[in-house]
Amino acid sequence: MFKAQSTSRRRLGPKPWPLLVIGSLFAMASLPAWAALGGDLSTVQADQVHMRGSLRTTVAAAYTVHEIESTSGVVVREYVSSAGKVFAIAWQGPWPPDMRQLLGSYFDPYIQAARARSGPGMARRPLMIEQPGLVVQVGGHPRSFVGRAYIPDQLPSNVTAEEIR
Amino acid sequence: MKATGFQALAVCLALAFSAACGGGGKSSSSSSSSPAPAQTITTSGPNVATIAVNGGPTGDSVDAAFTSVTVCVPGTSTCQTIDGVLVDTGSSGLRLLSSALTIALPQQNASDGNPVVECLPFVSGFTWGPVQTADVEIASEKASSAPIQVISDTDFAIPTACADRGTSEDTLSSLGANGIIGVGLSAQDCGDSCEVVETAPGTFNFYYECPSSTATCQPIGESLAQQVQNPVALFATDNNGVIVELPAVSGGEEPSVTGSLVFGIGTQSNNALGSATVYTADPTALNFTTKYNGTTYPDESFLDTGSNGYFFPSTITQCGSQAPGFYCPSTTMNFSATNLGMNGASGTVDFSVANALTLFEETPDFAFGDLGGTFSGGFDWGLPFFFGRNVFVAIQGQSAPGGTAPYWAY
């Protein structure tokens, strides 16, 4: 599970994750931090109330993570590029999040891709949607879900999908 | 042999050009470097159901175990036996496709008389449909008047809150089975959190009441007893859990394998815990911990016959669009990880991952010992984990030998 560095100790230079985190700040205030995948952080203040809960912001070298933990125990982490774009979302909780809200304009392509799954072994397994413009992975079991979604070509350079969790 | 995942990986890398890291394809083996005690599979007894990894009713389900379940109108001899039901230790409760059910079961109603309908989220989608009551019979065991889910998109309109979680699995092809018998760690499918309606933003409700087939369904609280039940917990005896007993897959892949689902732990002469190590699970998330490759995945791992591979975080080459998310290493790779129960028990698991696309070409094989794929959480120890070892699943709230349920033991 993603853990924020809890001190302001600085680690310089390109280091492998989790050393990529160069510092953190904790913001319990009403930062405009909730957006759908592919959305623009600066334009989504209206969305921030959708999922009430504590908010924590972590600044890494190539992106900022906005983490919201709702009272129901679902944790959502949004990965925002330096350009202010949400390029990835990760979540964890006792049930899946509102995927329509999280994926925004990517929800319908996600549903279409999920319905189109076929081939050996595609039914009973973690969900894997892998398209040129969208990757969605959901695993776990009832009472414990883990997932992530990202836009492959919007991952900042030197950022790997494994960091998104 | 005790070795950390990192050490094992290092050994594997060092031996990458030798047979120690496997050769891929048909010749590969899933043999472990620390052989388990000889496995005994119970094949007879009133508490033993046969399970088979055989492709299932769709004829293309790999690494999935199926059995037959009989449902009856409660207290009557109006019954139907349904085969091709997936055995799932990762969920709890019996769910049957409406399209596979030919008898009419009594509907469970809310206090105001409206039918109760459920949205049960799985990772691959959700099942939607009415909660009905049946006597559930398997082997010689019987769960009387058990609430089950009848999966159907058409009886009642799917609420937006349910549809917004993913895709509905209400057909044979989308579910991959005629039904799912969840024999997991919990006695109910949802538990305490479903006893009251959740209204906070971002929350999710499993249970609804639906005034008519077209009206908007409203979320309701559902008592523990009315929730869809793990049928095992309702058996008169042998009700504290199950043992999944599947043989090793010879040569890493076979057309099919047959094993047993044994009911009860320490309740009969054929279901003793024996020398199995008990790993207790977090009673809320129903997970335990796995250490792998120098990383600890706390409370994020689980044993799940309903997952068709080893799913874990790795940078192994994935297969791409032909088998998204599955691993496709050029040669079979060997790994080692350590499972830790909440009770402090720990043990090493050695496993292998072969090229999934190569495996899938081996028609008509449906049992693969070395199938794996990616997971951004911890370890989803799917069906391959169960090959060659008997795995005990003890139900929360029930008394079971060797520890406090919920637990897994193997």
Side-chain angles (χ1 to χ4, degrees), chain A residues 77-107:
Chain A
R77 283 177 288 277
E78 296 189 328
Y79 291 71
V80 181
S81 71
S82 55
K85 295 286 187 187
V86 179
F87 64 88
I89 293 176
W91 61 90
Q92 190 166 26
W95 45 73
D98 183 335
M99 297 292 283
R100 183 186 293 277
Q101 181 75 26
L102 278 189
L103 296 183
S105 61
Y106 289 86
F107 180 75

PDB file of all heavy atoms in Angstrom, chain A residues 77-107:
ATOM      1  N   ARG A  77      -6.769   7.562  -4.450  1.00  0.00           N
ATOM      2  CA  ARG A  77      -5.576   8.377  -4.675  1.00  0.00           C
ATOM      3  C   ARG A  77      -5.549   8.836  -6.129  1.00  0.00           C
ATOM      4  O   ARG A  77      -5.673   8.016  -7.043  1.00  0.00           O
ATOM      5  CB  ARG A  77      -4.307   7.575  -4.358  1.00  0.00           C
ATOM      6  CG  ARG A  77      -4.038   7.437  -2.878  1.00  0.00           C
ATOM      7  CD  ARG A  77      -2.813   6.571  -2.616  1.00  0.00           C
ATOM      8  NE  ARG A  77      -3.073   5.173  -2.903  1.00  0.00           N
ATOM      9  CZ  ARG A  77      -3.660   4.339  -2.051  1.00  0.00           C
ATOM     10  NH1 ARG A  77      -4.033   4.754  -0.868  1.00  0.00           N
ATOM     11  NH2 ARG A  77      -3.873   3.079  -2.389  1.00  0.00           N
ATOM     12  N   GLU A  78      -5.399  10.138  -6.300  1.00  0.00           N
ATOM     13  CA  GLU A  78      -5.342  10.684  -7.642  1.00  0.00           C
ATOM     14  C   GLU A  78      -3.932  11.187  -7.916  1.00  0.00           C
ATOM     15  O   GLU A  78      -3.354  11.910  -7.112  1.00  0.00           O
ATOM     16  CB  GLU A  78      -6.326  11.836  -7.785  1.00  0.00           C
ATOM     17  CG  GLU A  78      -7.762  11.376  -7.626  1.00  0.00           C
ATOM     18  CD  GLU A  78      -8.739  12.467  -7.976  1.00  0.00           C
ATOM     19  OE1 GLU A  78      -8.400  13.644  -7.751  1.00  0.00           O
ATOM     20  OE2 GLU A  78      -9.803  12.149  -8.461  1.00  0.00           O
ATOM     21  N   TYR A  79      -3.432  10.799  -9.053  1.00  0.00           N
ATOM     22  CA  TYR A  79      -2.078  11.167  -9.448  1.00  0.00           C
ATOM     23  C   TYR A  79      -2.178  12.297 -10.468  1.00  0.00           C
ATOM     24  O   TYR A  79      -2.739  12.124 -11.549  1.00  0.00           O
ATOM     25  CB  TYR A  79      -1.352   9.959 -10.041  1.00  0.00           C
ATOM     26  CG  TYR A  79      -1.045   8.893  -9.012  1.00  0.00           C
ATOM     27  CD1 TYR A  79      -2.062   8.108  -8.454  1.00  0.00           C
ATOM     28  CD2 TYR A  79       0.262   8.679  -8.573  1.00  0.00           C
ATOM     29  CE1 TYR A  79      -1.791   7.153  -7.496  1.00  0.00           C
ATOM     30  CE2 TYR A  79       0.543   7.705  -7.616  1.00  0.00           C
ATOM     31  CZ  TYR A  79      -0.487   6.953  -7.086  1.00  0.00           C
ATOM     32  OH  TYR A  79      -0.213   6.004  -6.132  1.00  0.00           O
ATOM     33  N   VAL A  80      -1.637  13.448 -10.074  1.00  0.00           N
ATOM     34  CA  VAL A  80      -1.784  14.648 -10.886  1.00  0.00           C
ATOM     35  C   VAL A  80      -0.405  15.070 -11.391  1.00  0.00           C
ATOM     36  O   VAL A  80       0.544  15.200 -10.610  1.00  0.00           O
ATOM     37  CB  VAL A  80      -2.424  15.786 -10.061  1.00  0.00           C
ATOM     38  CG1 VAL A  80      -2.608  17.028 -10.924  1.00  0.00           C
ATOM     39  CG2 VAL A  80      -3.758  15.331  -9.477  1.00  0.00           C
ATOM     40  N   SER A  81      -0.310  15.267 -12.689  1.00  0.00           N
ATOM     41  CA  SER A  81       0.967  15.649 -13.295  1.00  0.00           C
ATOM     42  C   SER A  81       1.285  17.104 -12.977  1.00  0.00           C
ATOM     43  O   SER A  81       0.434  17.858 -12.498  1.00  0.00           O
ATOM     44  CB  SER A  81       0.904  15.450 -14.807  1.00  0.00           C
ATOM     45  OG  SER A  81       0.056  16.433 -15.376  1.00  0.00           O
ATOM     46  N   SER A  82       2.491  17.492 -13.290  1.00  0.00           N
ATOM     47  CA  SER A  82       2.884  18.882 -13.054  1.00  0.00           C
ATOM     48  C   SER A  82       2.065  19.836 -13.913  1.00  0.00           C
ATOM     49  O   SER A  82       1.975  21.023 -13.614  1.00  0.00           O
ATOM     50  CB  SER A  82       4.379  19.049 -13.324  1.00  0.00           C
ATOM     51  OG  SER A  82       4.685  18.599 -14.632  1.00  0.00           O
ATOM     52  N   ALA A  83       1.477  19.294 -14.981  1.00  0.00           N
ATOM     53  CA  ALA A  83       0.624  20.124 -15.830  1.00  0.00           C
ATOM     54  C   ALA A  83      -0.802  20.213 -15.292  1.00  0.00           C
ATOM     55  O   ALA A  83      -1.657  20.835 -15.916  1.00  0.00           O
ATOM     56  CB  ALA A  83       0.607  19.566 -17.258  1.00  0.00           C
ATOM     57  N   GLY A  84      -1.050  19.558 -14.154  1.00  0.00           N
ATOM     58  CA  GLY A  84      -2.370  19.645 -13.541  1.00  0.00           C
ATOM     59  C   GLY A  84      -3.373  18.639 -14.056  1.00  0.00           C
ATOM     60  O   GLY A  84      -4.575  18.782 -13.822  1.00  0.00           O
ATOM     61  N   LYS A  85      -2.915  17.621 -14.753  1.00  0.00           N
ATOM     62  CA  LYS A  85      -3.815  16.610 -15.302  1.00  0.00           C
ATOM     63  C   LYS A  85      -3.807  15.353 -14.427  1.00  0.00           C
ATOM     64  O   LYS A  85      -2.747  14.891 -14.005  1.00  0.00           O
ATOM     65  CB  LYS A  85      -3.386  16.218 -16.720  1.00  0.00           C
ATOM     66  CG  LYS A  85      -3.497  17.330 -17.740  1.00  0.00           C
ATOM     67  CD  LYS A  85      -4.941  17.594 -18.120  1.00  0.00           C
ATOM     68  CE  LYS A  85      -5.003  18.596 -19.278  1.00  0.00           C
ATOM     69  NZ  LYS A  85      -6.390  19.006 -19.559  1.00  0.00           N
ATOM     70  N   VAL A  86      -4.999  14.804 -14.199  1.00  0.00           N
ATOM     71  CA  VAL A  86      -5.109  13.538 -13.476  1.00  0.00           C
ATOM     72  C   VAL A  86      -4.779  12.421 -14.470  1.00  0.00           C
ATOM     73  O   VAL A  86      -5.578  12.113 -15.351  1.00  0.00           O
ATOM     74  CB  VAL A  86      -6.516  13.339 -12.899  1.00  0.00           C
ATOM     75  CG1 VAL A  86      -6.598  11.999 -12.165  1.00  0.00           C
ATOM     76  CG2 VAL A  86      -6.876  14.487 -11.965  1.00  0.00           C
ATOM     77  N   PHE A  87      -3.601  11.821 -14.319  1.00  0.00           N
ATOM     78  CA  PHE A  87      -3.206  10.784 -15.281  1.00  0.00           C
ATOM     79  C   PHE A  87      -3.414   9.376 -14.729  1.00  0.00           C
ATOM     80  O   PHE A  87      -3.322   8.399 -15.475  1.00  0.00           O
ATOM     81  CB  PHE A  87      -1.744  10.960 -15.709  1.00  0.00           C
ATOM     82  CG  PHE A  87      -0.735  10.795 -14.593  1.00  0.00           C
ATOM     83  CD1 PHE A  87      -0.219   9.542 -14.281  1.00  0.00           C
ATOM     84  CD2 PHE A  87      -0.307  11.890 -13.853  1.00  0.00           C
ATOM     85  CE1 PHE A  87       0.705   9.382 -13.250  1.00  0.00           C
ATOM     86  CE2 PHE A  87       0.618  11.739 -12.823  1.00  0.00           C
ATOM     87  CZ  PHE A  87       1.117  10.492 -12.517  1.00  0.00           C
ATOM     88  N   ALA A  88      -3.709   9.276 -13.442  1.00  0.00           N
ATOM     89  CA  ALA A  88      -3.919   7.946 -12.861  1.00  0.00           C
ATOM     90  C   ALA A  88      -4.743   8.066 -11.591  1.00  0.00           C
ATOM     91  O   ALA A  88      -4.727   9.101 -10.915  1.00  0.00           O
ATOM     92  CB  ALA A  88      -2.591   7.261 -12.549  1.00  0.00           C
ATOM     93  N   ILE A  89      -5.469   6.994 -11.281  1.00  0.00           N
ATOM     94  CA  ILE A  89      -6.255   6.927 -10.051  1.00  0.00           C
ATOM     95  C   ILE A  89      -6.081   5.528  -9.469  1.00  0.00           C
ATOM     96  O   ILE A  89      -6.088   4.538 -10.201  1.00  0.00           O
ATOM     97  CB  ILE A  89      -7.746   7.209 -10.334  1.00  0.00           C
ATOM     98  CG1 ILE A  89      -7.943   8.673 -10.773  1.00  0.00           C
ATOM     99  CG2 ILE A  89      -8.596   6.929  -9.112  1.00  0.00           C
ATOM    100  CD1 ILE A  89      -9.363   9.009 -11.173  1.00  0.00           C
ATOM    101  N   ALA A  90      -5.896   5.459  -8.173  1.00  0.00           N
ATOM    102  CA  ALA A  90      -5.830   4.158  -7.498  1.00  0.00           C
ATOM    103  C   ALA A  90      -6.822   4.174  -6.351  1.00  0.00           C
ATOM    104  O   ALA A  90      -7.137   5.242  -5.811  1.00  0.00           O
ATOM    105  CB  ALA A  90      -4.423   3.890  -6.976  1.00  0.00           C
ATOM    106  N   TRP A  91      -7.331   3.003  -5.982  1.00  0.00           N
ATOM    107  CA  TRP A  91      -8.300   2.958  -4.900  1.00  0.00           C
ATOM    108  C   TRP A  91      -8.200   1.652  -4.142  1.00  0.00           C
ATOM    109  O   TRP A  91      -7.634   0.667  -4.631  1.00  0.00           O
ATOM    110  CB  TRP A  91      -9.720   3.155  -5.423  1.00  0.00           C
ATOM    111  CG  TRP A  91     -10.174   2.105  -6.391  1.00  0.00           C
ATOM    112  CD1 TRP A  91     -10.800   0.934  -6.093  1.00  0.00           C
ATOM    113  CD2 TRP A  91     -10.018   2.123  -7.813  1.00  0.00           C
ATOM    114  NE1 TRP A  91     -11.053   0.238  -7.244  1.00  0.00           N
ATOM    115  CE2 TRP A  91     -10.581   0.937  -8.314  1.00  0.00           C
ATOM    116  CE3 TRP A  91      -9.454   3.040  -8.710  1.00  0.00           C
ATOM    117  CZ2 TRP A  91     -10.594   0.632  -9.668  1.00  0.00           C
ATOM    118  CZ3 TRP A  91      -9.473   2.735 -10.059  1.00  0.00           C
ATOM    119  CH2 TRP A  91     -10.043   1.542 -10.525  1.00  0.00           C
ATOM    120  N   GLN A  92      -8.788   1.661  -2.957  1.00  0.00           N
ATOM    121  CA  GLN A  92      -8.764   0.494  -2.088  1.00  0.00           C
ATOM    122  C   GLN A  92      -9.912   0.617  -1.108  1.00  0.00           C
ATOM    123  O   GLN A  92     -10.164   1.702  -0.598  1.00  0.00           O
ATOM    124  CB  GLN A  92      -7.426   0.482  -1.331  1.00  0.00           C
ATOM    125  CG  GLN A  92      -7.143  -0.777  -0.568  1.00  0.00           C
ATOM    126  CD  GLN A  92      -5.674  -0.822  -0.140  1.00  0.00           C
ATOM    127  OE1 GLN A  92      -5.047   0.207   0.017  1.00  0.00           O
ATOM    128  NE2 GLN A  92      -5.149  -2.002   0.022  1.00  0.00           N
ATOM    129  N   GLY A  93     -10.622  -0.460  -0.864  1.00  0.00           N
ATOM    130  CA  GLY A  93     -11.704  -0.364   0.092  1.00  0.00           C
ATOM    131  C   GLY A  93     -12.577  -1.603   0.115  1.00  0.00           C
ATOM    132  O   GLY A  93     -12.345  -2.553  -0.632  1.00  0.00           O
ATOM    133  N   PRO A  94     -13.595  -1.590   0.982  1.00  0.00           N
ATOM    134  CA  PRO A  94     -14.445  -2.777   1.135  1.00  0.00           C
ATOM    135  C   PRO A  94     -15.371  -3.012  -0.051  1.00  0.00           C
ATOM    136  O   PRO A  94     -15.968  -4.083  -0.147  1.00  0.00           O
ATOM    137  CB  PRO A  94     -15.242  -2.484   2.409  1.00  0.00           C
ATOM    138  CG  PRO A  94     -15.209  -1.005   2.549  1.00  0.00           C
ATOM    139  CD  PRO A  94     -13.912  -0.546   1.956  1.00  0.00           C
ATOM    140  N   TRP A  95     -15.549  -2.033  -0.909  1.00  0.00           N
ATOM    141  CA  TRP A  95     -16.321  -2.201  -2.141  1.00  0.00           C
ATOM    142  C   TRP A  95     -15.702  -1.308  -3.199  1.00  0.00           C
ATOM    143  O   TRP A  95     -14.894  -0.444  -2.896  1.00  0.00           O
ATOM    144  CB  TRP A  95     -17.796  -1.862  -1.919  1.00  0.00           C
ATOM    145  CG  TRP A  95     -18.008  -0.610  -1.140  1.00  0.00           C
ATOM    146  CD1 TRP A  95     -17.819   0.661  -1.560  1.00  0.00           C
ATOM    147  CD2 TRP A  95     -18.412  -0.526   0.236  1.00  0.00           C
ATOM    148  NE1 TRP A  95     -18.081   1.540  -0.553  1.00  0.00           N
ATOM    149  CE2 TRP A  95     -18.454   0.836   0.553  1.00  0.00           C
ATOM    150  CE3 TRP A  95     -18.756  -1.482   1.204  1.00  0.00           C
ATOM    151  CZ2 TRP A  95     -18.814   1.283   1.831  1.00  0.00           C
ATOM    152  CZ3 TRP A  95     -19.107  -1.018   2.456  1.00  0.00           C
ATOM    153  CH2 TRP A  95     -19.144   0.342   2.766  1.00  0.00           C
ATOM    154  N   PRO A  96     -16.077  -1.509  -4.451  1.00  0.00           N
ATOM    155  CA  PRO A  96     -15.492  -0.667  -5.495  1.00  0.00           C
ATOM    156  C   PRO A  96     -15.981   0.767  -5.361  1.00  0.00           C
ATOM    157  O   PRO A  96     -17.089   1.004  -4.867  1.00  0.00           O
ATOM    158  CB  PRO A  96     -16.004  -1.290  -6.805  1.00  0.00           C
ATOM    159  CG  PRO A  96     -16.640  -2.580  -6.430  1.00  0.00           C
ATOM    160  CD  PRO A  96     -17.016  -2.500  -4.995  1.00  0.00           C
ATOM    161  N   PRO A  97     -15.195   1.705  -5.814  1.00  0.00           N
ATOM    162  CA  PRO A  97     -15.644   3.096  -5.803  1.00  0.00           C
ATOM    163  C   PRO A  97     -16.664   3.331  -6.912  1.00  0.00           C
ATOM    164  O   PRO A  97     -16.960   2.437  -7.703  1.00  0.00           O
ATOM    165  CB  PRO A  97     -14.353   3.870  -6.075  1.00  0.00           C
ATOM    166  CG  PRO A  97     -13.547   2.936  -6.919  1.00  0.00           C
ATOM    167  CD  PRO A  97     -13.860   1.556  -6.419  1.00  0.00           C
ATOM    168  N   ASP A  98     -17.194   4.550  -6.930  1.00  0.00           N
ATOM    169  CA  ASP A  98     -18.080   4.948  -8.021  1.00  0.00           C
ATOM    170  C   ASP A  98     -17.215   5.114  -9.268  1.00  0.00           C
ATOM    171  O   ASP A  98     -16.576   6.144  -9.467  1.00  0.00           O
ATOM    172  CB  ASP A  98     -18.787   6.249  -7.646  1.00  0.00           C
ATOM    173  CG  ASP A  98     -19.781   6.692  -8.697  1.00  0.00           C
ATOM    174  OD1 ASP A  98     -19.614   6.323  -9.879  1.00  0.00           O
ATOM    175  OD2 ASP A  98     -20.715   7.423  -8.335  1.00  0.00           O
ATOM    176  N   MET A  99     -17.210   4.090 -10.113  1.00  0.00           N
ATOM    177  CA  MET A  99     -16.300   4.107 -11.250  1.00  0.00           C
ATOM    178  C   MET A  99     -16.671   5.192 -12.259  1.00  0.00           C
ATOM    179  O   MET A  99     -15.805   5.755 -12.922  1.00  0.00           O
ATOM    180  CB  MET A  99     -16.306   2.739 -11.939  1.00  0.00           C
ATOM    181  CG  MET A  99     -15.794   1.604 -11.056  1.00  0.00           C
ATOM    182  SD  MET A  99     -14.031   1.731 -10.710  1.00  0.00           S
ATOM    183  CE  MET A  99     -13.356   1.145 -12.262  1.00  0.00           C
ATOM    184  N   ARG A 100     -17.965   5.476 -12.360  1.00  0.00           N
ATOM    185  CA  ARG A 100     -18.368   6.530 -13.299  1.00  0.00           C
ATOM    186  C   ARG A 100     -17.777   7.868 -12.885  1.00  0.00           C
ATOM    187  O   ARG A 100     -17.271   8.630 -13.711  1.00  0.00           O
ATOM    188  CB  ARG A 100     -19.895   6.618 -13.377  1.00  0.00           C
ATOM    189  CG  ARG A 100     -20.386   7.632 -14.391  1.00  0.00           C
ATOM    190  CD  ARG A 100     -21.899   7.789 -14.345  1.00  0.00           C
ATOM    191  NE  ARG A 100     -22.607   6.604 -14.770  1.00  0.00           N
ATOM    192  CZ  ARG A 100     -22.855   6.301 -16.059  1.00  0.00           C
ATOM    193  NH1 ARG A 100     -22.433   7.092 -17.005  1.00  0.00           N
ATOM    194  NH2 ARG A 100     -23.508   5.202 -16.363  1.00  0.00           N
ATOM    195  N   GLN A 101     -17.820   8.122 -11.578  1.00  0.00           N
ATOM    196  CA  GLN A 101     -17.259   9.374 -11.083  1.00  0.00           C
ATOM    197  C   GLN A 101     -15.743   9.409 -11.256  1.00  0.00           C
ATOM    198  O   GLN A 101     -15.161  10.406 -11.672  1.00  0.00           O
ATOM    199  CB  GLN A 101     -17.614   9.523  -9.600  1.00  0.00           C
ATOM    200  CG  GLN A 101     -17.109  10.803  -8.961  1.00  0.00           C
ATOM    201  CD  GLN A 101     -17.933  12.007  -9.379  1.00  0.00           C
ATOM    202  OE1 GLN A 101     -19.100  11.867  -9.727  1.00  0.00           O
ATOM    203  NE2 GLN A 101     -17.322  13.178  -9.375  1.00  0.00           N
ATOM    204  N   LEU A 102     -15.100   8.294 -10.932  1.00  0.00           N
ATOM    205  CA  LEU A 102     -13.636   8.260 -10.978  1.00  0.00           C
ATOM    206  C   LEU A 102     -13.099   8.327 -12.397  1.00  0.00           C
ATOM    207  O   LEU A 102     -12.102   8.990 -12.662  1.00  0.00           O
ATOM    208  CB  LEU A 102     -13.117   6.966 -10.340  1.00  0.00           C
ATOM    209  CG  LEU A 102     -12.983   6.894  -8.833  1.00  0.00           C
ATOM    210  CD1 LEU A 102     -12.254   5.617  -8.454  1.00  0.00           C
ATOM    211  CD2 LEU A 102     -12.239   8.101  -8.294  1.00  0.00           C
ATOM    212  N   LEU A 103     -13.756   7.617 -13.294  1.00  0.00           N
ATOM    213  CA  LEU A 103     -13.211   7.509 -14.649  1.00  0.00           C
ATOM    214  C   LEU A 103     -13.694   8.606 -15.582  1.00  0.00           C
ATOM    215  O   LEU A 103     -13.107   8.828 -16.641  1.00  0.00           O
ATOM    216  CB  LEU A 103     -13.555   6.137 -15.248  1.00  0.00           C
ATOM    217  CG  LEU A 103     -12.945   4.936 -14.534  1.00  0.00           C
ATOM    218  CD1 LEU A 103     -13.312   3.653 -15.268  1.00  0.00           C
ATOM    219  CD2 LEU A 103     -11.429   5.059 -14.430  1.00  0.00           C
ATOM    220  N   GLY A 104     -14.777   9.290 -15.199  1.00  0.00           N
ATOM    221  CA  GLY A 104     -15.254  10.400 -16.017  1.00  0.00           C
ATOM    222  C   GLY A 104     -15.530   9.964 -17.452  1.00  0.00           C
ATOM    223  O   GLY A 104     -16.267   9.000 -17.686  1.00  0.00           O
ATOM    224  N   SER A 105     -14.911  10.645 -18.390  1.00  0.00           N
ATOM    225  CA  SER A 105     -15.164  10.336 -19.804  1.00  0.00           C
ATOM    226  C   SER A 105     -14.617   8.975 -20.197  1.00  0.00           C
ATOM    227  O   SER A 105     -14.928   8.468 -21.275  1.00  0.00           O
ATOM    228  CB  SER A 105     -14.543  11.415 -20.697  1.00  0.00           C
ATOM    229  OG  SER A 105     -13.143  11.460 -20.503  1.00  0.00           O
ATOM    230  N   TYR A 106     -13.824   8.375 -19.333  1.00  0.00           N
ATOM    231  CA  TYR A 106     -13.288   7.043 -19.624  1.00  0.00           C
ATOM    232  C   TYR A 106     -14.207   5.928 -19.134  1.00  0.00           C
ATOM    233  O   TYR A 106     -13.922   4.753 -19.343  1.00  0.00           O
ATOM    234  CB  TYR A 106     -11.895   6.871 -18.986  1.00  0.00           C
ATOM    235  CG  TYR A 106     -10.827   7.685 -19.666  1.00  0.00           C
ATOM    236  CD1 TYR A 106     -10.605   9.010 -19.304  1.00  0.00           C
ATOM    237  CD2 TYR A 106     -10.051   7.140 -20.684  1.00  0.00           C
ATOM    238  CE1 TYR A 106      -9.634   9.771 -19.942  1.00  0.00           C
ATOM    239  CE2 TYR A 106      -9.087   7.890 -21.322  1.00  0.00           C
ATOM    240  CZ  TYR A 106      -8.876   9.210 -20.948  1.00  0.00           C
ATOM    241  OH  TYR A 106      -7.930   9.951 -21.577  1.00  0.00           O
ATOM    242  N   PHE A 107     -15.304   6.302 -18.466  1.00  0.00           N
ATOM    243  CA  PHE A 107     -16.177   5.260 -17.924  1.00  0.00           C
ATOM    244  C   PHE A 107     -16.828   4.433 -19.028  1.00  0.00           C
ATOM    245  O   PHE A 107     -16.822   3.193 -18.977  1.00  0.00           O
ATOM    246  CB  PHE A 107     -17.253   5.875 -17.020  1.00  0.00           C
ATOM    247  CG  PHE A 107     -18.191   4.851 -16.425  1.00  0.00           C
ATOM    248  CD1 PHE A 107     -17.782   4.040 -15.381  1.00  0.00           C
ATOM    249  CD2 PHE A 107     -19.482   4.685 -16.931  1.00  0.00           C
ATOM    250  CE1 PHE A 107     -18.642   3.091 -14.836  1.00  0.00           C
ATOM    251  CE2 PHE A 107     -20.345   3.740 -16.386  1.00  0.00           C
ATOM    252  CZ  PHE A 107     -19.914   2.944 -15.345  1.00  0.00           C
TER     253      PHE A 107
END
